[in-house]
Coordinates of all heavy atoms in Angstrom, one line a residue:
V8 N -37.0 35.2 20.2 CA -37.1 35.3 21.7 C -36.6 36.7 22.0 O -35.5 37.1 21.7 CB -36.2 34.3 22.4 CG1 -36.3 34.4 23.9 CG2 -36.6 32.9 21.9
G9 N -37.4 37.4 22.8 CA -37.2 38.8 23.1 C -38.2 39.6 22.2 O -38.5 39.2 21.1
A10 N -38.7 40.7 22.7 CA -39.7 41.4 21.9 C -39.4 42.9 22.1 O -40.2 43.7 22.7 CB -41.1 41.1 22.4
S11 N -38.3 43.3 21.5 CA -37.9 44.7 21.6 C -37.4 45.2 20.2 O -38.0 44.7 19.2 CB -36.8 44.9 22.7 OG -36.4 46.2 22.8
H12 N -36.4 46.1 20.1 CA -36.1 46.7 18.9 C -35.7 45.6 17.8 O -36.2 45.7 16.7 CB -34.9 47.7 19.1 CG -35.3 48.9 19.8 ND1 -35.9 49.9 19.2 CD2 -35.3 49.2 21.1 CE1 -36.2 50.9 20.1 NE2 -35.8 50.5 21.2
A13 N -34.7 44.7 18.2 CA -34.2 43.8 17.2 C -35.4 42.9 16.7 O -35.5 42.6 15.5 CB -33.1 43.0 17.8
A14 N -36.2 42.4 17.7 CA -37.3 41.5 17.3 C -38.3 42.2 16.5 O -38.8 41.6 15.4 CB -37.9 41.0 18.6
I33 N -41.7 35.9 21.3 CA -41.9 35.5 22.7 C -41.1 36.5 23.6 O -39.9 36.4 23.5 CB -41.6 34.1 23.0 CG1 -42.3 33.1 22.1 CG2 -41.9 33.7 24.5 CD1 -42.0 31.7 22.3
G34 N -41.7 37.3 24.4 CA -41.0 38.3 25.2 C -41.5 38.2 26.6 O -42.7 38.0 26.9
D35 N -40.6 38.5 27.6 CA -41.0 38.3 29.0 C -41.5 39.6 29.6 O -42.0 39.7 30.7 CB -39.8 37.8 29.8 CG -38.6 38.7 29.8 OD1 -38.6 39.7 29.1 OD2 -37.6 38.3 30.4
E36 N -41.5 40.7 28.8 CA -42.1 42.0 29.3 C -43.6 41.9 28.9 O -44.0 41.2 27.9 CB -41.5 43.2 28.7 CG -40.0 43.4 29.2 CD -39.4 44.7 28.8 OE1 -40.0 45.8 29.1 OE2 -38.4 44.7 28.0
R43 N -36.9 51.9 23.6 CA -36.3 52.0 24.9 C -35.6 53.4 25.2 O -35.7 53.8 26.3 CB -35.3 50.9 25.1 CG -35.3 50.2 26.4 CD -34.5 48.9 26.4 NE -35.2 47.8 26.0 CZ -36.0 47.1 26.8 NH1 -36.2 47.4 28.0 NH2 -36.6 46.0 26.3
P44 N -35.0 54.0 24.2 CA -34.4 55.3 24.5 C -35.2 56.3 25.3 O -34.7 57.0 26.2 CB -33.9 55.8 23.1 CG -33.7 54.6 22.4 CD -34.8 53.6 22.8
P45 N -36.5 56.5 25.0 CA -37.2 57.5 25.8 C -37.4 57.2 27.2 O -37.8 58.1 28.0 CB -38.6 57.5 25.1 CG -38.5 56.9 23.8 CD -37.3 55.9 23.9
L46 N -37.0 56.0 27.6 CA -37.2 55.6 29.1 C -36.5 56.6 30.0 O -36.9 57.0 31.0 CB -36.7 54.2 29.3 CG -37.5 53.1 28.7 CD1 -37.0 51.7 29.2 CD2 -39.0 53.2 29.0
S47 N -35.3 57.0 29.6 CA -34.5 57.9 30.4 C -34.7 59.4 30.0 O -34.1 60.3 30.6 CB -33.0 57.6 30.4 OG -32.6 57.4 29.0
K48 N -35.6 59.6 29.0 CA -35.8 60.9 28.5 C -37.2 61.3 28.6 O -37.7 61.5 29.8 CB -35.3 61.0 27.0 CG -33.9 60.4 26.8 CD -33.5 60.3 25.3 CE -32.2 59.7 25.1 NZ -32.1 58.2 25.0
I79 N -43.9 36.1 28.7 CA -43.5 34.7 28.7 C -42.0 34.6 28.6 O -41.4 35.2 27.7 CB -44.1 33.9 27.6 CG1 -45.7 33.9 27.8 CG2 -43.6 32.5 27.5 CD1 -46.4 33.3 26.6
R80 N -41.4 33.9 29.5 CA -39.9 33.7 29.5 C -39.5 32.4 28.9 O -40.1 31.4 29.3 CB -39.4 33.9 30.9 CG -38.1 34.5 31.0 CD -37.4 34.6 32.3 NE -36.0 34.7 32.1 CZ -35.2 33.7 32.0 NH1 -35.7 32.5 32.1 NH2 -33.9 33.9 31.7
V81 N -38.6 32.4 28.0 CA -38.1 31.2 27.4 C -36.9 30.7 28.3 O -36.0 31.5 28.6 CB -37.6 31.3 26.0 CG1 -36.9 30.1 25.5 CG2 -38.8 31.7 25.1
G82 N -36.9 29.5 28.8 CA -35.9 29.0 29.8 C -34.9 28.1 29.1 O -33.7 28.1 29.6
A107 N -33.1 37.5 20.4 CA -33.0 39.0 20.5 C -33.2 39.3 22.0 O -34.1 40.1 22.3 CB -34.1 39.6 19.6
T108 N -32.4 38.7 22.8 CA -32.7 38.8 24.3 C -32.0 40.0 24.9 O -32.2 40.2 26.1 CB -32.2 37.5 25.0 OG1 -30.8 37.2 24.5 CG2 -33.0 36.3 24.6
G109 N -31.3 40.8 24.2 CA -30.8 42.1 24.7 C -29.9 42.0 25.9 O -29.0 41.1 26.0
A110 N -30.2 42.9 26.8 CA -29.3 43.0 28.0 C -30.1 43.3 29.2 O -31.2 43.8 29.1 CB -28.2 44.0 27.7
L128 N -32.6 51.2 35.9 CA -33.5 51.7 34.8 C -33.2 50.9 33.5 O -32.2 51.1 32.8 CB -33.1 53.2 34.6 CG -34.1 54.1 33.9 CD1 -33.7 55.5 34.1 CD2 -34.2 53.7 32.4
R129 N -34.1 50.0 33.2 CA -34.0 49.3 31.9 C -35.3 49.2 31.2 O -35.4 49.1 30.0 CB -33.4 47.9 32.1 CG -33.1 47.1 30.9 CD -31.9 47.6 30.0 NE -31.9 47.0 28.7 CZ -31.1 47.3 27.7 NH1 -30.2 48.3 27.9 NH2 -31.1 46.7 26.6
D130 N -36.4 49.1 31.9 CA -37.7 48.9 31.2 C -38.8 49.8 31.8 O -38.6 50.6 32.7 CB -38.1 47.4 31.3 CG -38.2 46.9 32.8 OD1 -38.5 47.7 33.6 OD2 -38.0 45.7 33.0
I155 N -26.8 57.0 30.4 CA -28.1 56.7 31.1 C -28.2 57.6 32.3 O -29.2 58.2 32.6 CB -28.2 55.2 31.4 CG1 -28.1 54.4 30.1 CG2 -29.6 55.0 32.1 CD1 -29.3 54.4 29.2
E158 N -28.6 61.3 31.3 CA -30.0 61.6 30.8 C -31.0 61.5 31.9 O -31.9 62.4 31.9 CB -30.3 60.5 29.7 CG -29.5 60.7 28.4 CD -29.9 59.6 27.4 OE1 -30.7 58.7 27.7 OE2 -29.3 59.7 26.3
N243 N -27.8 39.3 27.8 CA -28.5 38.1 28.2 C -28.1 36.9 27.4 O -28.8 36.5 26.4 CB -30.0 38.3 28.1 CG -30.5 39.3 29.1 OD1 -30.0 39.4 30.3 ND2 -31.4 40.2 28.7
L246 N -29.2 31.8 27.9 CA -30.0 30.9 27.1 C -29.2 30.2 26.0 O -29.2 29.0 25.8 CB -31.2 31.7 26.4 CG -32.4 31.0 25.9 CD1 -33.1 30.1 27.0 CD2 -33.4 32.0 25.4
A274 N -29.4 38.9 17.3 CA -29.4 40.3 16.9 C -29.5 41.2 18.0 O -30.2 40.9 19.0 CB -30.5 40.5 15.8
G275 N -29.0 42.5 17.9 CA -29.2 43.5 18.9 C -28.1 43.5 19.9 O -27.0 43.0 19.7
D276 N -28.4 44.0 21.1 CA -27.5 44.2 22.2 C -26.8 42.9 22.6 O -25.7 43.0 23.2 CB -28.2 44.7 23.5 CG -28.4 46.2 23.4 OD1 -28.4 46.8 22.3 OD2 -28.7 46.8 24.5
V277 N -27.4 41.8 22.3 CA -26.8 40.5 22.8 C -25.8 39.9 21.8 O -25.1 39.0 22.2 CB -28.0 39.5 23.0 CG1 -28.5 38.9 21.7 CG2 -27.6 38.4 24.0
L291 N -22.6 46.0 20.3 CA -23.0 47.4 20.4 C -24.3 47.5 21.2 O -25.2 46.6 21.1 CB -23.3 47.9 19.0 CG -22.0 48.0 18.1 CD1 -22.4 48.3 16.6 CD2 -21.1 49.1 18.6
E292 N -24.5 48.6 21.9 CA -25.7 48.8 22.7 C -26.4 50.0 22.0 O -26.3 51.1 22.5 CB -25.3 49.1 24.1 CG -24.6 47.9 24.7 CD -23.9 48.2 26.1 OE1 -24.1 49.3 26.6 OE2 -23.3 47.3 26.6
S293 N -27.0 49.8 20.9 CA -27.7 50.9 20.2 C -28.8 50.4 19.4 O -28.8 49.3 18.8 CB -26.7 51.7 19.4 OG -26.6 51.1 18.1
V294 N -29.8 51.3 19.2 CA -31.0 51.0 18.5 C -30.7 50.8 17.0 O -31.1 49.8 16.4 CB -32.1 52.1 18.6 CG1 -33.2 51.9 17.6 CG2 -32.6 52.0 20.1
P295 N -29.9 51.7 16.3 CA -29.6 51.4 14.9 C -29.0 50.1 14.7 O -29.3 49.4 13.7 CB -28.6 52.6 14.6 CG -28.9 53.6 15.6 CD -29.3 52.9 16.8
A297 N -29.5 47.3 16.5 CA -30.6 46.3 16.6 C -31.4 46.3 15.4 O -31.8 45.2 14.9 CB -31.4 46.6 17.9
W320 N -23.7 53.9 15.0 CA -24.0 55.3 15.3 C -25.0 55.3 16.5 O -25.7 54.3 16.7 CB -24.5 56.1 14.2 CG -25.8 55.7 13.5 CD1 -26.0 54.8 12.6 CD2 -27.1 56.3 13.8 NE1 -27.3 54.8 12.2 CE2 -28.0 55.7 13.0 CE3 -27.5 57.3 14.7 CZ2 -29.4 56.0 13.0 CZ3 -28.9 57.6 14.7 CH2 -29.8 57.0 13.8
F321 N -25.0 56.3 17.3 CA -25.8 56.4 18.5 C -26.3 57.9 18.7 O -25.9 58.8 17.9 CB -24.9 56.2 19.7 CG -24.0 55.0 19.6 CD1 -22.7 55.1 18.9 CD2 -24.3 53.8 20.1 CE1 -21.9 54.1 18.8 CE2 -23.4 52.7 20.0 CZ -22.2 52.8 19.3
W322 N -27.1 58.1 19.7 CA -27.4 59.4 20.1 C -27.7 59.5 21.6 O -27.9 58.5 22.2 CB -28.7 60.0 19.3 CG -30.0 59.4 19.7 CD1 -30.8 59.9 20.7 CD2 -30.6 58.2 19.3 NE1 -31.9 59.1 20.8 CE2 -31.8 58.0 20.0 CE3 -30.2 57.2 18.3 CZ2 -32.6 56.9 19.8 CZ3 -31.1 56.1 18.1 CH2 -32.3 56.0 18.8
S323 N -27.7 60.7 22.1 CA -28.1 60.9 23.5 C -28.7 62.3 23.7 O -28.2 63.3 23.1 CB -26.9 60.8 24.4 OG -27.2 61.2 25.8
D324 N -29.8 62.4 24.4 CA -30.5 63.7 24.6 C -30.4 64.1 26.0 O -30.8 63.3 26.9 CB -32.0 63.7 24.2 CG -32.2 63.3 22.7 OD1 -31.2 63.6 21.9 OD2 -33.2 62.7 22.4
Ligands
FAD501 C1 -32.8 54.1 29.4 C2 -32.2 53.7 28.1 C3 -31.8 54.7 27.2 C4 -31.3 54.4 26.0 N1 -31.0 55.4 25.1 C5 -30.5 55.1 23.8 C6 -30.3 56.1 22.9 O1 -30.5 57.3 23.1 N2 -29.8 55.7 21.6 C7 -29.6 54.4 21.3 O2 -29.2 54.1 20.2 N3 -29.8 53.4 22.2 C8 -30.2 53.7 23.5 N4 -30.4 52.7 24.4 C9 -30.0 51.3 24.1 C10 -31.1 50.7 23.3 O3 -32.4 50.8 23.9 C11 -30.8 49.2 23.1 O4 -29.6 49.2 22.2 C12 -31.9 48.4 22.4 O5 -33.0 48.4 23.3 C13 -31.5 47.0 22.1 O6 -32.6 46.3 21.6 P1 -32.6 44.7 21.6 O7 -33.8 44.3 20.9 O8 -31.3 44.2 21.2 O9 -32.7 44.3 23.2 P2 -33.5 44.8 24.4 O10 -34.1 46.2 24.1 O11 -32.6 44.7 25.6 O12 -34.7 43.8 24.6 C14 -34.5 42.4 24.8 C15 -35.9 41.9 25.3 O13 -35.8 40.5 25.5 C16 -36.4 40.1 26.7 N5 -35.8 38.8 27.1 C17 -34.6 38.5 27.5 N6 -34.4 37.2 27.8 C18 -35.6 36.6 27.5 C19 -36.1 35.3 27.6 N7 -35.3 34.3 28.0 N8 -37.4 35.0 27.3 C20 -38.2 36.1 26.9 N9 -37.8 37.3 26.8 C21 -36.5 37.6 27.1 C22 -36.0 41.2 27.6 O14 -36.8 41.3 28.8 C23 -36.3 42.4 26.7 O15 -37.6 42.8 26.7 C24 -31.0 53.0 25.6 C25 -31.3 52.0 26.6 C26 -31.9 52.4 27.8 C27 -32.2 51.3 28.8

Side-chain angles (χ1 to χ4, degrees):
V8 183
S11 182
H12 289 279
I33 306 179
D35 58 4
E36 293 186 63
R43 220 170 274 280
L46 292 186
S47 48
K48 309 175 183 86
I79 297 173
R80 213 181 155 277
V81 173
T108 49
L128 198 168
R129 182 72 192 172
D130 58 30
I155 302 286
E158 289 180 357
N243 291 321
L246 200 54
D276 280 17
V277 78
L291 295 172
E292 299 168 4
S293 88
V294 168
W320 68 274
F321 316 84
W322 74 92
S323 172
D324 299 334

